[in-house]
PDB file of all heavy atoms in Angstrom:
ATOM      1  N   LEU Z   7      -5.306  65.139  65.287  1.00  0.00           N
ATOM      2  CA  LEU Z   7      -5.818  63.951  64.712  1.00  0.00           C
ATOM      3  C   LEU Z   7      -5.029  62.757  65.160  1.00  0.00           C
ATOM      4  O   LEU Z   7      -3.697  62.835  65.021  1.00  0.00           O
ATOM      5  CB  LEU Z   7      -5.658  64.022  63.048  1.00  0.00           C
ATOM      6  CG  LEU Z   7      -6.041  62.822  62.286  1.00  0.00           C
ATOM      7  CD1 LEU Z   7      -7.546  62.473  62.556  1.00  0.00           C
ATOM      8  CD2 LEU Z   7      -5.824  63.102  60.812  1.00  0.00           C
ATOM      9  N   VAL Z   8      -5.572  61.849  65.683  1.00  0.00           N
ATOM     10  CA  VAL Z   8      -5.035  60.497  66.096  1.00  0.00           C
ATOM     11  C   VAL Z   8      -5.512  59.329  65.101  1.00  0.00           C
ATOM     12  O   VAL Z   8      -6.690  59.270  64.978  1.00  0.00           O
ATOM     13  CB  VAL Z   8      -5.225  60.191  67.519  1.00  0.00           C
ATOM     14  CG1 VAL Z   8      -4.708  58.794  67.917  1.00  0.00           C
ATOM     15  CG2 VAL Z   8      -4.625  61.279  68.430  1.00  0.00           C
ATOM     16  N   LEU Z   9      -4.469  58.674  64.553  1.00  0.00           N
ATOM     17  CA  LEU Z   9      -4.887  57.604  63.596  1.00  0.00           C
ATOM     18  C   LEU Z   9      -4.519  56.120  64.174  1.00  0.00           C
ATOM     19  O   LEU Z   9      -3.530  56.060  64.902  1.00  0.00           O
ATOM     20  CB  LEU Z   9      -4.024  57.730  62.339  1.00  0.00           C
ATOM     21  CG  LEU Z   9      -4.086  59.002  61.501  1.00  0.00           C
ATOM     22  CD1 LEU Z   9      -3.040  58.945  60.464  1.00  0.00           C
ATOM     23  CD2 LEU Z   9      -5.499  59.211  61.003  1.00  0.00           C
ATOM     24  N   LEU Z  10      -5.428  55.293  63.959  1.00  0.00           N
ATOM     25  CA  LEU Z  10      -5.076  53.891  64.315  1.00  0.00           C
ATOM     26  C   LEU Z  10      -5.682  53.054  63.237  1.00  0.00           C
ATOM     27  O   LEU Z  10      -6.898  52.859  63.221  1.00  0.00           O
ATOM     28  CB  LEU Z  10      -5.682  53.537  65.717  1.00  0.00           C
ATOM     29  CG  LEU Z  10      -5.301  52.223  66.202  1.00  0.00           C
ATOM     30  CD1 LEU Z  10      -3.861  52.008  66.450  1.00  0.00           C
ATOM     31  CD2 LEU Z  10      -6.064  51.897  67.504  1.00  0.00           C
ATOM     32  N   ILE Z  11      -4.899  52.554  62.291  1.00  0.00           N
ATOM     33  CA  ILE Z  11      -5.358  51.979  61.099  1.00  0.00           C
ATOM     34  C   ILE Z  11      -4.869  50.571  60.993  1.00  0.00           C
ATOM     35  O   ILE Z  11      -3.660  50.272  60.964  1.00  0.00           O
ATOM     36  CB  ILE Z  11      -4.985  52.768  59.845  1.00  0.00           C
ATOM     37  CG1 ILE Z  11      -5.521  54.241  59.883  1.00  0.00           C
ATOM     38  CG2 ILE Z  11      -5.539  52.120  58.659  1.00  0.00           C
ATOM     39  CD1 ILE Z  11      -5.035  55.137  58.824  1.00  0.00           C
ATOM     40  N   ASP Z  12      -5.824  49.622  60.703  1.00  0.00           N
ATOM     41  CA  ASP Z  12      -5.467  48.217  60.565  1.00  0.00           C
ATOM     42  C   ASP Z  12      -4.504  47.675  61.754  1.00  0.00           C
ATOM     43  O   ASP Z  12      -3.540  46.904  61.441  1.00  0.00           O
ATOM     44  CB  ASP Z  12      -4.772  47.966  59.205  1.00  0.00           C
ATOM     45  CG  ASP Z  12      -5.768  48.238  58.093  1.00  0.00           C
ATOM     46  OD1 ASP Z  12      -6.873  48.659  58.283  1.00  0.00           O
ATOM     47  OD2 ASP Z  12      -5.376  47.826  56.944  1.00  0.00           O
ATOM     48  N   ALA Z  13      -4.898  47.996  62.972  1.00  0.00           N
ATOM     49  CA  ALA Z  13      -4.050  47.606  64.004  1.00  0.00           C
ATOM     50  C   ALA Z  13      -4.849  47.088  65.234  1.00  0.00           C
ATOM     51  O   ALA Z  13      -4.333  46.190  65.950  1.00  0.00           O
ATOM     52  CB  ALA Z  13      -3.228  48.788  64.602  1.00  0.00           C
ATOM     53  N   LEU Z  14      -6.068  47.492  65.419  1.00  0.00           N
ATOM     54  CA  LEU Z  14      -6.772  46.886  66.472  1.00  0.00           C
ATOM     55  C   LEU Z  14      -7.086  45.514  66.333  1.00  0.00           C
ATOM     56  O   LEU Z  14      -7.178  44.683  67.382  1.00  0.00           O
ATOM     57  CB  LEU Z  14      -8.291  47.589  66.565  1.00  0.00           C
ATOM     58  CG  LEU Z  14      -8.214  49.001  67.109  1.00  0.00           C
ATOM     59  CD1 LEU Z  14      -9.638  49.657  66.952  1.00  0.00           C
ATOM     60  CD2 LEU Z  14      -7.898  49.087  68.583  1.00  0.00           C
ATOM     61  N   MET Z  15      -7.119  44.998  65.185  1.00  0.00           N
ATOM     62  CA  MET Z  15      -7.394  43.556  64.901  1.00  0.00           C
ATOM     63  C   MET Z  15      -6.129  42.766  65.510  1.00  0.00           C
ATOM     64  O   MET Z  15      -6.281  41.558  65.658  1.00  0.00           O
ATOM     65  CB  MET Z  15      -7.397  43.248  63.350  1.00  0.00           C
ATOM     66  CG  MET Z  15      -6.215  43.632  62.600  1.00  0.00           C
ATOM     67  SD  MET Z  15      -6.505  43.490  60.761  1.00  0.00           S
ATOM     68  CE  MET Z  15      -5.008  44.037  60.039  1.00  0.00           C
ATOM     69  N   LEU Z  16      -4.979  43.297  65.712  1.00  0.00           N
ATOM     70  CA  LEU Z  16      -3.716  42.645  66.240  1.00  0.00           C
ATOM     71  C   LEU Z  16      -3.612  42.843  67.678  1.00  0.00           C
ATOM     72  O   LEU Z  16      -2.682  42.241  68.315  1.00  0.00           O
ATOM     73  CB  LEU Z  16      -2.561  43.164  65.581  1.00  0.00           C
ATOM     74  CG  LEU Z  16      -2.543  43.195  63.984  1.00  0.00           C
ATOM     75  CD1 LEU Z  16      -1.377  43.824  63.474  1.00  0.00           C
ATOM     76  CD2 LEU Z  16      -2.588  41.661  63.433  1.00  0.00           C
ATOM     77  N   MET Z  17      -4.481  43.562  68.319  1.00  0.00           N
ATOM     78  CA  MET Z  17      -4.284  44.005  69.710  1.00  0.00           C
ATOM     79  C   MET Z  17      -4.941  42.994  70.700  1.00  0.00           C
ATOM     80  O   MET Z  17      -6.101  42.771  70.578  1.00  0.00           O
ATOM     81  CB  MET Z  17      -4.965  45.381  70.032  1.00  0.00           C
ATOM     82  CG  MET Z  17      -4.202  46.592  69.286  1.00  0.00           C
ATOM     83  SD  MET Z  17      -2.628  46.856  69.909  1.00  0.00           S
ATOM     84  CE  MET Z  17      -2.009  47.927  68.737  1.00  0.00           C
ATOM     85  N   PRO Z  18      -4.123  42.563  71.651  1.00  0.00           N
ATOM     86  CA  PRO Z  18      -4.695  41.656  72.673  1.00  0.00           C
ATOM     87  C   PRO Z  18      -5.396  42.450  73.845  1.00  0.00           C
ATOM     88  O   PRO Z  18      -6.288  41.864  74.467  1.00  0.00           O
ATOM     89  CB  PRO Z  18      -3.364  41.036  73.351  1.00  0.00           C
ATOM     90  CG  PRO Z  18      -2.289  42.033  73.044  1.00  0.00           C
ATOM     91  CD  PRO Z  18      -2.643  42.651  71.806  1.00  0.00           C
ATOM     92  N   ASP Z  19      -5.341  43.766  73.870  1.00  0.00           N
ATOM     93  CA  ASP Z  19      -6.111  44.617  74.838  1.00  0.00           C
ATOM     94  C   ASP Z  19      -6.515  45.876  74.107  1.00  0.00           C
ATOM     95  O   ASP Z  19      -5.857  46.944  74.135  1.00  0.00           O
ATOM     96  CB  ASP Z  19      -5.064  44.977  75.973  1.00  0.00           C
ATOM     97  CG  ASP Z  19      -5.842  45.625  77.155  1.00  0.00           C
ATOM     98  OD1 ASP Z  19      -7.086  46.175  76.837  1.00  0.00           O
ATOM     99  OD2 ASP Z  19      -5.258  45.755  78.263  1.00  0.00           O
ATOM    100  N   GLU Z  20      -7.603  45.755  73.442  1.00  0.00           N
ATOM    101  CA  GLU Z  20      -8.202  46.908  72.652  1.00  0.00           C
ATOM    102  C   GLU Z  20      -8.443  48.146  73.554  1.00  0.00           C
ATOM    103  O   GLU Z  20      -8.199  49.260  73.134  1.00  0.00           O
ATOM    104  CB  GLU Z  20      -9.413  46.504  71.942  1.00  0.00           C
ATOM    105  CG  GLU Z  20     -10.081  47.582  71.022  1.00  0.00           C
ATOM    106  CD  GLU Z  20     -11.261  47.141  70.290  1.00  0.00           C
ATOM    107  OE1 GLU Z  20     -11.240  45.909  69.889  1.00  0.00           O
ATOM    108  OE2 GLU Z  20     -12.132  47.880  69.919  1.00  0.00           O
ATOM    109  N   ARG Z  21      -9.057  47.937  74.670  1.00  0.00           N
ATOM    110  CA  ARG Z  21      -9.379  48.971  75.487  1.00  0.00           C
ATOM    111  C   ARG Z  21      -8.110  49.871  75.880  1.00  0.00           C
ATOM    112  O   ARG Z  21      -8.238  51.034  75.949  1.00  0.00           O
ATOM    113  CB  ARG Z  21      -9.995  48.387  76.753  1.00  0.00           C
ATOM    114  CG  ARG Z  21     -10.323  49.499  77.887  1.00  0.00           C
ATOM    115  CD  ARG Z  21     -11.043  48.916  79.061  1.00  0.00           C
ATOM    116  NE  ARG Z  21     -11.505  49.937  80.044  1.00  0.00           N
ATOM    117  CZ  ARG Z  21     -10.755  50.518  80.916  1.00  0.00           C
ATOM    118  NH1 ARG Z  21      -9.417  49.965  81.078  1.00  0.00           N
ATOM    119  NH2 ARG Z  21     -11.084  51.393  81.821  1.00  0.00           N
ATOM    120  N   ARG Z  22      -7.087  49.296  76.137  1.00  0.00           N
ATOM    121  CA  ARG Z  22      -5.805  49.946  76.532  1.00  0.00           C
ATOM    122  C   ARG Z  22      -5.383  50.875  75.445  1.00  0.00           C
ATOM    123  O   ARG Z  22      -5.013  51.954  75.703  1.00  0.00           O
ATOM    124  CB  ARG Z  22      -4.729  48.973  76.897  1.00  0.00           C
ATOM    125  CG  ARG Z  22      -3.516  49.708  77.489  1.00  0.00           C
ATOM    126  CD  ARG Z  22      -2.399  48.744  77.904  1.00  0.00           C
ATOM    127  NE  ARG Z  22      -2.693  47.949  78.990  1.00  0.00           N
ATOM    128  CZ  ARG Z  22      -2.414  48.279  80.228  1.00  0.00           C
ATOM    129  NH1 ARG Z  22      -1.835  49.384  80.441  1.00  0.00           N
ATOM    130  NH2 ARG Z  22      -2.733  47.501  81.244  1.00  0.00           N
ATOM    131  N   VAL Z  23      -5.333  50.410  74.178  1.00  0.00           N
ATOM    132  CA  VAL Z  23      -4.903  51.263  73.080  1.00  0.00           C
ATOM    133  C   VAL Z  23      -5.893  52.348  72.859  1.00  0.00           C
ATOM    134  O   VAL Z  23      -5.521  53.469  72.415  1.00  0.00           O
ATOM    135  CB  VAL Z  23      -4.477  50.417  71.812  1.00  0.00           C
ATOM    136  CG1 VAL Z  23      -5.674  49.960  71.115  1.00  0.00           C
ATOM    137  CG2 VAL Z  23      -3.652  51.185  70.967  1.00  0.00           C
ATOM    138  N   LEU Z  24      -7.186  52.082  73.019  1.00  0.00           N
ATOM    139  CA  LEU Z  24      -8.231  53.168  72.820  1.00  0.00           C
ATOM    140  C   LEU Z  24      -7.974  54.242  73.826  1.00  0.00           C
ATOM    141  O   LEU Z  24      -8.258  55.457  73.621  1.00  0.00           O
ATOM    142  CB  LEU Z  24      -9.586  52.618  72.819  1.00  0.00           C
ATOM    143  CG  LEU Z  24     -10.009  51.629  71.633  1.00  0.00           C
ATOM    144  CD1 LEU Z  24     -11.331  51.028  71.897  1.00  0.00           C
ATOM    145  CD2 LEU Z  24      -9.938  52.486  70.240  1.00  0.00           C
ATOM    146  N   LEU Z  25      -7.559  53.896  75.160  1.00  0.00           N
ATOM    147  CA  LEU Z  25      -7.390  54.804  76.134  1.00  0.00           C
ATOM    148  C   LEU Z  25      -6.121  55.605  75.832  1.00  0.00           C
ATOM    149  O   LEU Z  25      -6.074  56.783  76.204  1.00  0.00           O
ATOM    150  CB  LEU Z  25      -7.271  54.150  77.493  1.00  0.00           C
ATOM    151  CG  LEU Z  25      -8.512  53.573  78.075  1.00  0.00           C
ATOM    152  CD1 LEU Z  25      -8.177  52.725  79.305  1.00  0.00           C
ATOM    153  CD2 LEU Z  25      -9.504  54.689  78.433  1.00  0.00           C
ATOM    154  N   THR Z  26      -5.172  55.063  75.147  1.00  0.00           N
ATOM    155  CA  THR Z  26      -3.811  55.826  74.701  1.00  0.00           C
ATOM    156  C   THR Z  26      -4.399  56.770  73.659  1.00  0.00           C
ATOM    157  O   THR Z  26      -3.965  57.994  73.793  1.00  0.00           O
ATOM    158  CB  THR Z  26      -2.854  54.832  74.064  1.00  0.00           C
ATOM    159  OG1 THR Z  26      -2.491  53.847  74.968  1.00  0.00           O
ATOM    160  CG2 THR Z  26      -1.713  55.702  73.546  1.00  0.00           C
ATOM    161  N   ALA Z  27      -5.301  56.380  72.779  1.00  0.00           N
ATOM    162  CA  ALA Z  27      -5.816  57.384  71.697  1.00  0.00           C
ATOM    163  C   ALA Z  27      -6.431  58.497  72.443  1.00  0.00           C
ATOM    164  O   ALA Z  27      -6.408  59.678  72.131  1.00  0.00           O
ATOM    165  CB  ALA Z  27      -6.701  56.694  70.701  1.00  0.00           C
ATOM    166  N   HIS Z  28      -7.356  58.100  73.421  1.00  0.00           N
ATOM    167  CA  HIS Z  28      -8.106  59.179  74.137  1.00  0.00           C
ATOM    168  C   HIS Z  28      -7.253  60.150  74.732  1.00  0.00           C
ATOM    169  O   HIS Z  28      -7.456  61.424  74.595  1.00  0.00           O
ATOM    170  CB  HIS Z  28      -8.986  58.457  75.190  1.00  0.00           C
ATOM    171  CG  HIS Z  28      -9.871  59.284  75.995  1.00  0.00           C
ATOM    172  ND1 HIS Z  28     -11.070  58.930  76.538  1.00  0.00           N
ATOM    173  CD2 HIS Z  28      -9.811  60.590  76.368  1.00  0.00           C
ATOM    174  CE1 HIS Z  28     -11.695  59.827  77.150  1.00  0.00           C
ATOM    175  NE2 HIS Z  28     -10.900  60.967  77.034  1.00  0.00           N
ATOM    176  N   ARG Z  29      -6.243  59.697  75.517  1.00  0.00           N
ATOM    177  CA  ARG Z  29      -5.340  60.578  76.199  1.00  0.00           C
ATOM    178  C   ARG Z  29      -4.532  61.508  75.275  1.00  0.00           C
ATOM    179  O   ARG Z  29      -4.092  62.542  75.531  1.00  0.00           O
ATOM    180  CB  ARG Z  29      -4.334  59.860  77.084  1.00  0.00           C
ATOM    181  CG  ARG Z  29      -5.017  59.152  78.271  1.00  0.00           C
ATOM    182  CD  ARG Z  29      -4.021  58.589  79.293  1.00  0.00           C
ATOM    183  NE  ARG Z  29      -3.120  57.648  78.631  1.00  0.00           N
ATOM    184  CZ  ARG Z  29      -3.392  56.291  78.738  1.00  0.00           C
ATOM    185  NH1 ARG Z  29      -4.544  55.910  79.335  1.00  0.00           N
ATOM    186  NH2 ARG Z  29      -2.623  55.468  78.117  1.00  0.00           N
ATOM    187  N   ALA Z  30      -4.307  60.993  73.967  1.00  0.00           N
ATOM    188  CA  ALA Z  30      -3.454  61.814  73.022  1.00  0.00           C
ATOM    189  C   ALA Z  30      -4.251  62.934  72.370  1.00  0.00           C
ATOM    190  O   ALA Z  30      -3.567  63.735  71.725  1.00  0.00           O
ATOM    191  CB  ALA Z  30      -2.940  60.838  71.987  1.00  0.00           C
ATOM    192  N   LEU Z  31      -5.529  62.989  72.532  1.00  0.00           N
ATOM    193  CA  LEU Z  31      -6.369  63.858  71.749  1.00  0.00           C
ATOM    194  C   LEU Z  31      -6.264  65.258  72.239  1.00  0.00           C
ATOM    195  O   LEU Z  31      -6.461  65.404  73.558  1.00  0.00           O
ATOM    196  CB  LEU Z  31      -7.820  63.339  71.619  1.00  0.00           C
ATOM    197  CG  LEU Z  31      -8.091  62.279  70.546  1.00  0.00           C
ATOM    198  CD1 LEU Z  31      -9.465  61.704  70.733  1.00  0.00           C
ATOM    199  CD2 LEU Z  31      -7.827  62.794  69.205  1.00  0.00           C
ATOM    200  N   ALA Z  32      -6.126  66.196  71.568  1.00  0.00           N
ATOM    201  CA  ALA Z  32      -6.177  67.615  72.062  1.00  0.00           C
ATOM    202  C   ALA Z  32      -7.723  67.892  72.091  1.00  0.00           C
ATOM    203  O   ALA Z  32      -8.642  67.093  71.718  1.00  0.00           O
ATOM    204  CB  ALA Z  32      -5.533  68.563  70.966  1.00  0.00           C
ATOM    205  N   GLU Z  33      -8.067  69.040  72.782  1.00  0.00           N
ATOM    206  CA  GLU Z  33      -9.447  69.420  72.781  1.00  0.00           C
ATOM    207  C   GLU Z  33     -10.029  69.599  71.417  1.00  0.00           C
ATOM    208  O   GLU Z  33      -9.414  70.253  70.598  1.00  0.00           O
ATOM    209  CB  GLU Z  33      -9.545  70.834  73.588  1.00  0.00           C
ATOM    210  CG  GLU Z  33     -10.998  71.218  73.796  1.00  0.00           C
ATOM    211  CD  GLU Z  33     -11.051  72.520  74.704  1.00  0.00           C
ATOM    212  OE1 GLU Z  33      -9.957  73.075  75.024  1.00  0.00           O
ATOM    213  OE2 GLU Z  33     -12.254  72.964  74.892  1.00  0.00           O
ATOM    214  N   ASN Z  34     -11.109  69.020  71.150  1.00  0.00           N
ATOM    215  CA  ASN Z  34     -11.757  69.013  69.850  1.00  0.00           C
ATOM    216  C   ASN Z  34     -10.944  68.198  68.795  1.00  0.00           C
ATOM    217  O   ASN Z  34     -11.261  68.319  67.581  1.00  0.00           O
ATOM    218  CB  ASN Z  34     -12.037  70.459  69.368  1.00  0.00           C
ATOM    219  CG  ASN Z  34     -13.013  71.206  70.159  1.00  0.00           C
ATOM    220  OD1 ASN Z  34     -13.956  70.708  70.608  1.00  0.00           O
ATOM    221  ND2 ASN Z  34     -12.529  72.462  70.443  1.00  0.00           N
ATOM    222  N   GLY Z  35     -10.060  67.406  69.309  1.00  0.00           N
ATOM    223  CA  GLY Z  35      -9.187  66.531  68.385  1.00  0.00           C
ATOM    224  C   GLY Z  35     -10.130  65.380  67.923  1.00  0.00           C
ATOM    225  O   GLY Z  35     -11.098  65.054  68.394  1.00  0.00           O
TER     226      GLY Z  35
END
């Protein structure tokens, strides 16, 4: 489980942090 709560609104580069979340997920995460 990867959480990102009340933080995207502060991000100058949303795509980059979403890619970080993507890379962090286990299979079926």
Side-chain angles (χ1 to χ4, degrees):
L7 175 62
V8 176
L9 307 170
L10 186 62
I11 304 178
D12 293 8
L14 285 171
M15 61 187 180
L16 305 172
M17 294 290 172
D19 190 343
E20 179 174 334
R21 180 178 179 275
R22 185 183 290 270
V23 74
L24 290 176
L25 288 173
T26 299
H28 182 151
R29 290 192 298 268
L31 285 168
E33 185 177 1
N34 297 321

